[in-house]
Amino acid sequence: MKLTLSVSLLLSTLVASKSFLFGNQQQPLVDGSLSVPGDNPLSFCADPSDYILTIEKVDLDPNPPEKGKALQIKAKGNFTQKIEQDAYINLSVKYGLITLINTQADLCEQMKEVDESCPLEGAKDFTKDVTLPKQIPAGTYTVLADVYTKTDVQVTCLRATVHFS
């Protein structure tokens, strides 16, 4: 449950490991920006040109996400290499300076949340609707999702910061 909520926050702020993601060509970094294309609070952890997942765009509605409300996540991207079983995501969720979640999860299991399964390859396009709980405590949340293949090759790394009132 906590992992699913975290992934929803990540997708809403980020995937499903979870997940999160998909398209044709990575958009060039303009003036040093690491922002993920689309209407979202996501950023890449580093220059995404070497990532296996090329993200075309991620749109959240509403952006920023609101507690107790439906959130629609639309993502489009392209896996430039096949991602097989045993790929994983390192997921961290912080509330201010307090770490709420710091875990490693099976990427392929998490992709089931967006009706995908491994192997993951080629162009992907998905829409996911989630309802964020009303009970999310007010504050700033930071989510980090660092995704790797089973042989420890980085697929993508995304960060998001969301403030709930």
Side-chain angles (χ1 to χ4, degrees), residues 11 54 69 73 77 79 81 101 126 143 146 155 157-158 164:
L11 285 173
T54 301
K69 304 257 175 131
I73 304 149
F79 289 94
Q81 297 176 26
I101 297 173
F126 78 82
V143 182
D146 203 2
V155 175
C157 182
L158 299 171
F164 290 101

Side-chain angles (χ1 to χ4, degrees), residues 33-72:
S33 173
L34 293 176
S35 295
V36 171
D39 187 16
N40 64 74
L42 303 172
S43 63
F44 296 105
C45 301
D47 182 341
S49 61
D50 292 330
Y51 292 158
I52 292 172
L53 175 59
T54 301
I55 297 175
E56 185 175 310
K57 73 176 186 172
V58 177
D59 290 325
L60 304 183
D61 184 23
N63 181 33
E66 299 174 26
K67 62 183 174 181
K69 304 257 175 131
L71 173 69
Q72 184 174 72

Side-chain angles (χ1 to χ4, degrees), residues 9 18 22 37 39-40 54 57 61 85 98 130 154 156:
L9 285 172
K18 285 4 306 272
F22 318 108
D39 187 16
N40 64 74
T54 301
K57 73 176 186 172
D61 184 23
Q85 292 293 332
I98 301 167
V130 296
Q154 194 170 40
T156 193

Side-chain angles (χ1 to χ4, degrees), residues 125-136:
D125 194 347
F126 78 82
T127 299
K128 178 73 176 175
D129 294 309
V130 296
T131 300
L132 297 178
K134 291 180 183 177
Q135 300 83 0
I136 298 172

Side-chain angles (χ1 to χ4, degrees), residues 7-156:
V7 172
S8 296
L9 285 172
L10 179 62
L11 285 173
S12 68
T13 63
L14 196 277
V15 129
S17 298
K18 285 4 306 272
S19 327
F20 4 89
L21 317 131
F22 318 108
N24 292 344
Q25 293 289 325
Q26 200 75 278
Q27 303 238 341
L29 298 176
V30 179
D31 63 18
S33 173
L34 293 176
S35 295
V36 171
D39 187 16
N40 64 74
L42 303 172
S43 63
F44 296 105
C45 301
D47 182 341
S49 61
D50 292 330
Y51 292 158
I52 292 172
L53 175 59
T54 301
I55 297 175
E56 185 175 310
K57 73 176 186 172
V58 177
D59 290 325
L60 304 183
D61 184 23
N63 181 33
E66 299 174 26
K67 62 183 174 181
K69 304 257 175 131
L71 173 69
Q72 184 174 72
I73 304 149
K74 291 183 179 181
K76 186 174 184 181
N78 186 57
F79 289 94
T80 59
Q81 297 176 26
K82 186 186 289 188
I83 307 301
E84 302 198 18
Q85 292 293 332
D86 299 325
Y88 61 95
I89 178 169
N90 292 323
L91 181 66
S92 172
V93 179
K94 291 185 177 184
Y95 174 73
L97 297 175
I98 301 167
T99 299
L100 299 176
I101 297 173
N102 192 19
T103 190
Q104 187 174 91
D106 183 295
L107 176 65
C108 296
E109 281 297 313
Q110 297 306 315
M111 291 307 295
K112 292 177 184 178
E113 295 288 323
V114 291
D115 300 322
E116 290 288 339
S117 61
C118 288
L120 298 166
E121 58 186 326
K124 297 289 179 189
D125 194 347
F126 78 82
T127 299
K128 178 73 176 175
D129 294 309
V130 296
T131 300
L132 297 178
K134 291 180 183 177
Q135 300 83 0
I136 298 172
T140 300
Y141 293 80
T142 304
V143 182
L144 172 69
D146 203 2
V147 185
Y148 292 89
T149 66
K150 67 180 181 179
T151 58
D152 301 323
V153 176
Q154 194 170 40
V155 175
T156 193

